[in-house]
Amino acid sequence: MPILKWVRYGAWTAVVLVAFVSTAILLGWWRVDGTDPAGASSASEQAAPAIGGPFTLVDHTGKTVTEKDFIGKPMAVFFGFTYCPEVCPTTLVQLGNLTKQIGSMADRLQILLITVDPERDTPEQLALYLQSFDPRVVGLTGSREQIDAALKAYKAYAKKIPTDDGYTMDHSASVYLMKADGSFRTMIDYHEEDASALAKIRMVLG
């Protein structure tokens, strides 16, 4: 019958259109998202970013130190400043709580607070500030040029922001976990869950 014939033609046309659209979508996704096996292979071959490196700074006892003084111990490196209202004290408290959970094995972890505000964070100011946190934390300061060199080595960020009563510092809030040989291993993000951060610290401790 003519009607059944046209219905059959319509059904086959719909099937062809659906197949065509599905193929077009699939090809478009493949190209945009780069799921090309060759592309994935080249991405996996990219070298990890070089983070960390030489520095010369002054610790909170007034002693001049370099990165070589810490070789042999995994490190948790954090950039901050003593006038920081929230991020820095929160991070230092979290690191202290996490190391308590690890126990004596955490004695191998060297926690470094490198100030981004050397104008105000003298060794004496750092020593006073760190009394409120884990005694294993070492505070580091230096000249503006020395701090900028450390920021550059760790690919960290800091910027002075004027305020009504002076200034504050905007800065990177992640913790850099470095292996015992001084090379970069991974990072703990600000607000990262304790379980995940704890696993990363255990990983760098080996």
Side-chain angles (χ1 to χ4, degrees):
M1 297 177 63
I3 294 178
L4 292 177
K5 179 179 178 181
W6 284 111
V7 169
R8 188 165 56 248
Y9 285 164
W12 277 110
T13 301
V15 169
V16 171
L17 284 174
V18 169
F20 175 79
V21 171
S22 299
T23 302
I25 291 173
L26 179 62
L27 289 174
W29 170 79
W30 179 78
R31 290 175 180 171
V32 171
D33 288 352
T35 54
D36 169 27
S41 175
S42 60
S44 66
E45 293 171 357
Q46 292 178 353
I51 294 177
F55 62 76
T56 299
L57 297 167
V58 179
D59 72 14
H60 66 272
T61 69
K63 176 186 174 184
T64 298
V65 297
T66 72
E67 80 286 351
K68 295 178 182 176
D69 290 291
F70 304 103
I71 294 296
K73 297 183 70 174
M75 295 190 297
V77 182
F78 175 67
F79 288 87
F81 65 117
T82 64
Y83 288 76
C84 181
E86 180 181 353
V87 173
C88 302
T90 300
T91 299
L92 290 173
V93 167
Q94 183 192 29
L95 287 173
N97 290 338
L98 293 175
T99 52
K100 286 179 182 176
Q101 295 182 54
I102 294 173
S104 60
M105 190 178 179
D107 291 341
R108 294 183 55 233
L109 183 69
Q110 181 61 68
I111 302 174
L112 297 181
L113 167 63
I114 302 178
T115 183
V116 297
D117 185 17
E119 290 82 1
R120 293 184 292 196
D121 286 345
T122 62
E124 294 78 13
Q125 172 64 18
L126 283 170
L128 181 64
Y129 180 73
L130 292 178
Q131 289 179 1
S132 302
F133 303 101
D134 189 304
R136 290 169 292 194
V137 180
V138 171
L140 298 177
T141 186
S143 67
R144 181 74 263 172
E145 291 74 19
Q146 289 173 317
I147 296 299
D148 287 343
L151 285 165
K152 183 177 180 181
Y154 279 84
K155 295 180 171 50
Y157 159 83
K159 183 179 181 180
K160 181 182 288 189
I161 306 295
T163 62
D164 292 339
D165 56 352
Y167 70 90
T168 186
M169 298 297 297
D170 190 19
H171 63 91
S172 302
S174 296
V175 177
Y176 300 78
L177 293 179
M178 314 296 289
K179 296 190 288 188
D181 63 1
S183 62
F184 173 73
R185 182 64 180 85
T186 188
M187 302 178 80
I188 299 174
D189 294 327
Y190 186 56
H191 286 322
E192 185 163 335
E193 295 293 333
D194 281 359
S196 175
L198 188 61
K200 290 181 176 178
I201 292 175
R202 290 186 187 280
M203 180 174 63
V204 79
L205 286 173

